[in-house]
Amino acid sequence: MPVVPNPGARWRVCVVLACLAASPGSAATPTGARFHRPPPPGNEYAAWTMRSLALMNAYDLGDVSPFHPDAEWTREYLADPSSIYSDLHPRLFSGNRAESADATAFPDSKRTARAIAWDLGLDKALPGYQTLPDYPGPTPGNLTLAVAANLDKSGVAPIYYEKAYALGGNDLFTLNAEFAVALQTLHDWVEATPWADREAFGVDEDALRRVMSARSLDDVSDHDLVYLADILRAELSARSTGDAAAGARRALPAPLRIARVAAAYRASNAGYAACHSDGSRKDTAGSLPEDLARPICFSDATDRAVYRWYRSMRRHQLAQPPEPFHGDFGQVARLIDHFADVRPAWAGAYTNEALDWSNHAEVVEAQLALDSPVPRDADTGFYRLVERTNLLICRTTTR
């Protein structure tokens, strides 16, 4: 069962973390490919995709494409692409990157490279660097470092992490994670939308208030659950790379945020011991995310590896009858009814395959191209990106 902060300790969690973030010497100066701060917000990957798309339209490139397959991005940006625990490649920090005007080259800027690596899920959640500052021992409210690092990377506040688990009342934590991200997203929408515009934009602050005041999922109406599930669909359907999260930090794409919340729930289970106290992996940690019997060290694994684990765990949990999960059977069934089929609008017929590949370069490029202002009737590059995406997803159905 997840260890969740008690309500009286919530404010102390926020205050202590804020103080530590501001305290000199609370974390060592980040150096090198392993220990570094998150890149600042910005649309680097979107800009790179749009630039490449424009090049495809401007020149007759024939079979030459300025876009790279996902495997090339990982070879370029990871020190060991074969390992789920790989650090970023030192070249992203050393500056030893040859500049080139060639359309097929990778970005020259180190900042752009690290931002793209972040958006593609190639970075980690190492405490004190990619996530919250270092501090000894458990956090207030029993939110341990192993849990806090993943939750912090997700951008979901502890209050919504708590509430999703309290209302779900079971160990179906993959769907609880989706519930938590939906609550956080609604909170963000409320904060970002002027009161006078909320009704026009479909931002229902009362729904958030009703859910947060509920004592069990029985107190939450089907209308509000449908609304939250639709919010999550919208968040998954739009590819927002480089947006600012809480504290003006760079946010993760929505699929990776959900995976990190699910990892926080799993890391809070009794017996989870895949990481050292500093967040680095133990020798006994798993090396294959799909091997659910041998947990991986979530904080030292890449976001993409944690997402692979989440997708496998979600399939496993949804294949089970609701009865084995803790809590009220009716609550479990309602959570499954409303969140089990949540998927982005672009997933189409290949639901699971599309979601498995949702953070790979080919799919991300196609999503970003959908927002391109270039007219579709003249945009051969757009159709090429869609074709690449379809080939990637359809290939998984023939395995």
Side-chain angles (χ1 to χ4, degrees):
M1 300 284 286
V3 178
V4 186
N6 63 70
R10 289 180 194 152
W11 68 273
R12 295 199 300 274
V13 174
C14 299
V15 170
V16 169
L17 294 186
C19 291
L20 284 169
S23 299
S26 61
T29 302
T31 57
R34 183 169 181 77
F35 304 114
H36 57 273
R37 298 293 186 219
N43 64 346
E44 286 86 351
Y45 197 18
W48 175 259
T49 300
M50 292 302 107
R51 169 186 173 275
S52 299
L53 192 59
L55 287 173
M56 293 180 72
N57 293 327
Y59 303 102
D60 182 11
L61 297 176
D63 292 332
V64 179
S65 171
F67 294 100
H68 305 293
D70 189 76
E72 290 186 17
W73 285 106
T74 57
R75 281 195 298 269
E76 180 75 9
Y77 285 174
L78 290 179
D80 181 7
S82 65
S83 173
I84 67 170
Y85 299 111
S86 176
D87 294 325
L88 294 180
H89 199 287
R91 72 167 65 94
L92 273 64
F93 302 86
S94 66
N96 296 327
R97 177 180 293 274
E99 294 191 4
S100 172
D102 185 354
T104 63
F106 288 89
D108 299 325
S109 164
K110 292 183 292 182
R111 171 175 170 169
T112 297
R114 290 200 296 273
I116 291 177
W118 180 278
D119 293 340
L120 289 179
L122 304 180
D123 221 326
K124 300 187 178 187
L126 289 171
Y129 297 94
Q130 290 92 332
T131 60
L132 45 84
D134 288 327
Y135 51 93
T139 63
N142 295 322
L143 192 64
T144 65
L145 188 61
V147 175
N150 289 287
L151 192 59
D152 185 74
K153 187 75 181 283
S154 76
V156 172
I159 189 173
Y160 299 120
Y161 168 80
E162 289 181 47
K163 198 65 182 184
Y165 179 77
L167 294 182
N170 56 74
D171 288 334
L172 191 59
F173 52 80
T174 53
L175 296 193
N176 277 339
E178 297 175 14
F179 192 14
V181 172
L183 288 172
Q184 180 67 56
T185 302
L186 178 53
H187 167 90
D188 295 341
W189 286 8
V190 170
E191 291 294 308
T193 309
W195 181 85
D197 296 332
R198 288 174 187 169
E199 183 176 358
F201 286 102
V203 178
D204 189 352
E205 183 178 8
D206 289 337
L208 181 62
R209 188 179 299 110
R210 287 191 297 268
V211 173
M212 295 306 293
S213 63
R215 295 185 177 182
S216 75
L217 205 62
D218 291 334
D219 296 332
V220 181
S221 69
D222 285 337
H223 177 274
D224 285 343
L225 286 176
V226 168
Y227 178 62
L228 287 167
D230 284 343
I231 285 175
L232 190 61
R233 287 188 183 92
E235 192 73 357
L236 290 168
S237 298
R239 189 73 191 191
S240 301
T241 55
D243 285 354
R249 294 179 303 168
R250 191 182 191 89
L252 281 179
L256 303 183
R257 296 180 65 203
I258 296 170
R260 283 292 176 186
V261 178
Y265 284 129
R266 177 62 184 90
S268 66
N269 287 161
Y272 177 78
C275 310
H276 293 293
S277 59
D278 65 352
S280 62
R281 67 184 173 105
K282 293 182 178 179
D283 292 338
T284 55
S287 58
L288 183 65
E290 292 77 11
D291 182 1
L292 303 179
R294 189 182 177 194
I296 65 175
C297 175
F298 299 116
S299 54
D300 204 359
T302 64
D303 296 313
R304 181 177 287 192
V306 175
Y307 183 70
R308 283 172 52 192
W309 164 83
Y310 154 77
R311 291 291 303 154
S312 296
M313 178 61 77
R314 190 182 194 273
R315 277 190 288 267
H316 170 74
Q317 291 193 321
L318 289 177
Q320 310 302 312
E323 291 87 344
F325 294 103
H326 296 283
D328 180 77
F329 171 81
Q331 291 182 340
V332 177
R334 290 187 74 212
L335 199 66
I336 293 173
D337 285 346
H338 288 91
F339 282 88
D341 68 343
V342 169
R343 60 183 185 271
W346 51 262
Y350 303 105
T351 305
N352 287 327
E353 293 82 359
L355 291 174
D356 286 342
W357 293 89
S358 65
N359 217 64
H360 284 227
E362 291 89 341
V363 177
V364 175
E365 288 162 357
Q367 288 179 261
L368 292 172
L370 288 171
D371 295 327
S372 170
V374 180
R376 296 290 179 264
D377 57 355
D379 189 359
T380 58
F382 168 80
Y383 291 110
R384 185 176 296 182
L385 289 181
V386 173
E387 181 183 24
R388 277 160 49 89
T389 304
N390 289 336
L391 288 174
L392 175 71
I393 294 172
C394 294
R395 189 165 64 241
T396 68
T397 67
T398 60
R399 290 181 178 177

